[in-house]
Amino acid sequence: MNRKRNRLQQTSIGAAMADMAMLLLIFFMVTTNAEPPQGIEVDLPTAKTQENKGDSLFITVASNGDYYFEGAKTDLDSIKNSLLQRPDDKDKTIAISADQDIDYAYIGALLIELRNADFLNVLFVSQDEEQLQ
Amino acid sequence: MKALAQAYKYKLSRHKAIRDSHLEQFDASSIGDLSFLLLIFFIVTSSFLLKQGLFLSLPSSQSVSQSIDAKRVLDVAPKENGFLTNGTLINEENLRKAMQEKKEQVEQPVILIQMTEGVPYNRLITLLSISREEEINKVSLKFK
């Protein structure tokens, strides 16, 4: 009788654990972002890269010179204003994903605005040479 | 006839009992294992929203200009078909050599990158990548 009760208890604990695992699994599947907010696909340059482990804000510069901040199309002034409204995020890295063939003038202008907004940590997002090989 | 009905009833009840025992014995541990494996996968990957690239620390807008010994500076202007150094257009291989020579000549060399309008962005990335490979970490970026 006791053995049967123990077996039943074990089964119920296992079922509860499986339920919990399923719930957590669904939560993580829903909340996980596989890709950062880019806004548009760009052809990234290739370099010997480093990994950015901290939090980032994402800016994309498309091949036609359009700017995207956190996935939304915008312009340089709006980017600067958005950044000025986020004084707590100054330690975050600004990850710039720009099309490899774009005129540097677009990047230069962006860097000037970042500097004016006092966001000084920049990551030029690139494809890793070794991974491509 | 009654006996036959009883036998059929017994057979049905027996079949039900066997089916129930099968249901009771259904093993959920494999589902639990699989769920946990997937759970661990998502926990690990969700914290890896990483981006790879090249870091650059911009100078603060309040910072004052610094003077650097001209001997420490390697002046490089990326162009579409090479890198302009001391008035000479060189390729990647020769740029690496120039960097290595500079490293041998002085301690903590600085690369002064002179970007101009019309130069593709990937030329800057190539130059930053080379300087990183050659372990020259001090870079000054100038945009005309």
Side-chain angles (χ1 to χ4, degrees):
Chain A
M1 190 68 177
N2 269 343
R3 201 181 293 166
K4 197 177 177 184
R5 200 173 57 199
N6 283 344
R7 206 174 62 194
L8 271 174
Q9 270 181 347
Q10 277 177 355
T11 313
S12 61
I13 289 169
M17 274 173 72
D19 287 350
M20 205 175 72
M22 273 291 186
L23 280 171
L24 285 168
L25 177 64
I26 292 161
F27 169 76
F28 277 105
M29 281 173 79
V30 170
T31 56
T32 301
N33 288 321
E35 277 294 313
Q38 274 198 315
I40 193 166
E41 282 286 316
V42 286
D43 194 7
L44 292 171
T46 313
K48 190 172 179 168
T49 58
Q50 297 162 276
E51 276 184 353
N52 173 34
K53 286 176 181 163
D55 277 349
S56 303
L57 297 172
F58 295 93
I59 295 176
T60 307
V61 189
S63 55
N64 60 357
D66 286 342
Y67 294 95
Y68 292 79
F69 180 64
E70 293 286 275
K73 194 177 171 185
T74 184
D75 54 46
L76 271 182
D77 283 339
S78 306
I79 290 176
K80 189 187 169 187
N81 291 334
S82 303
L83 292 175
L84 287 171
Q85 285 166 8
R86 297 172 176 232
D88 296 337
D89 292 340
K90 278 187 181 174
D91 291 335
K92 286 188 179 176
T93 304
I94 305 289
I96 300 173
S97 306
D99 195 276
Q100 61 170 342
D101 295 322
I102 197 173
D103 189 336
Y104 177 77
Y106 291 101
I107 309 296
L110 175 62
L111 292 182
I112 290 167
E113 295 304 335
L114 293 179
R115 198 177 163 211
N116 290 339
D118 212 21
F119 280 74
L120 305 174
N121 301 318
V122 172
L123 176 81
F124 294 116
V125 179
S126 319
Q127 297 181 78
D128 192 42
E129 267 177 4
E130 287 168 9
Q131 276 182 8
L132 282 176
Q133 283 166 9
Chain B
M1 193 66 182
K2 198 178 174 185
L4 199 68
Q6 255 183 346
Y8 182 67
K9 205 175 170 187
Y10 173 75
K11 204 177 171 185
L12 265 180
S13 65
R14 185 93 184 110
H15 183 72
K16 197 181 172 201
I18 290 167
R19 196 183 61 195
D20 287 352
S21 72
H22 273 296
L23 277 177
E24 229 174 78
Q25 283 170 9
F26 171 71
D27 192 4
S29 61
S30 58
I31 294 174
D33 290 348
L34 192 76
S35 305
F36 267 109
L37 275 173
L38 284 167
L39 177 64
I40 290 160
F41 168 77
F42 277 101
I43 289 172
V44 171
T45 54
S46 65
S47 60
F48 280 135
L49 187 63
L50 293 178
K51 272 284 160 189
Q52 291 189 322
L54 295 162
F55 282 99
L56 187 75
S57 293
L58 300 175
S60 164
S61 51
Q62 282 95 41
S63 61
V64 288
S65 59
Q66 279 184 324
S67 55
I68 303 168
D69 184 3
K71 285 177 190 168
R72 284 176 60 198
V73 178
L74 180 65
D75 196 335
V76 185
K79 300 288 170 195
E80 272 198 64
N81 50 351
F83 300 92
L84 197 65
T85 318
N86 298 325
T88 318
L89 196 66
I90 56 173
N91 59 14
E92 270 187 46
E93 202 180 318
N94 288 331
L95 181 67
R96 279 178 202 278
K97 282 179 190 166
M99 284 184 187
Q100 285 160 7
E101 278 172 22
K102 193 54 102 177
K103 264 176 73 182
E104 283 166 15
Q105 287 165 5
V106 292
E107 273 185 33
Q108 291 188 319
V110 179
I111 296 178
L112 174 62
I113 303 173
Q114 306 226 31
M115 291 300 291
T116 46
E117 233 178 277
V119 175
Y121 161 68
N122 65 7
R123 301 306 291 159
L124 168 70
I125 298 301
T126 307
L127 179 50
L128 287 174
S129 182
I130 293 171
S131 64
R132 189 172 168 255
E133 280 172 53
E134 297 303 328
E135 295 171 352
I136 300 179
N137 298 320
K138 285 211 167 186
V139 168
S140 179
L141 184 59
K142 194 175 171 185
F143 176 48
K144 285 180 192 171

